Amino acid sequence: MDPSEVERLIEDGLPDCEATVTRARGHDDDDHLAATVVSPAFAGESLVDQHQLVYDALGDAMTTEIHALELTTKTPE
């Protein structure tokens, strides 16, 4: 899946967030990705819950089109 498509899915599924998605370092394919997601929705959430919000936004793509996702989540602060 193209990184820009993954960005769109995350941003559509997680309001008021900014997602930056690239190919994971050392991989030339589009199923090993790295994402940095900044969202106020992460405030007060555990790291596991923050990641789950992103996975929920990706829906079925996380299990069908994305093999691996290196995920960094942050709040706007």
Side-chain angles (χ1 to χ4, degrees), residues 1-76:
M1 179 171 244
D2 183 79
S4 63
E5 291 177 73
V6 176
E7 284 178 5
R8 183 187 53 78
L9 283 174
I10 295 169
E11 290 176 349
D12 287 351
L14 194 56
D16 301 320
C17 85
E18 183 177 325
T20 304
V21 180
T22 60
R23 288 187 177 104
R25 191 178 324 199
H27 292 276
D28 292 331
D29 51 23
D30 284 339
D31 63 349
H32 289 80
L33 302 171
T36 299
V37 183
V38 180
S39 174
F42 298 148
E45 299 290 340
S46 70
L47 186 60
V48 170
D49 289 338
Q50 292 175 20
H51 287 202
Q52 191 60 53
L53 288 169
V54 176
Y55 298 147
D56 289 347
L58 291 170
D60 290 337
M62 193 60 221
T63 57
T64 59
E65 298 181 61
I66 301 169
H67 176 74
L69 181 64
E70 180 183 317
L71 189 54
T72 301
T73 53
K74 302 177 182 182
T75 59

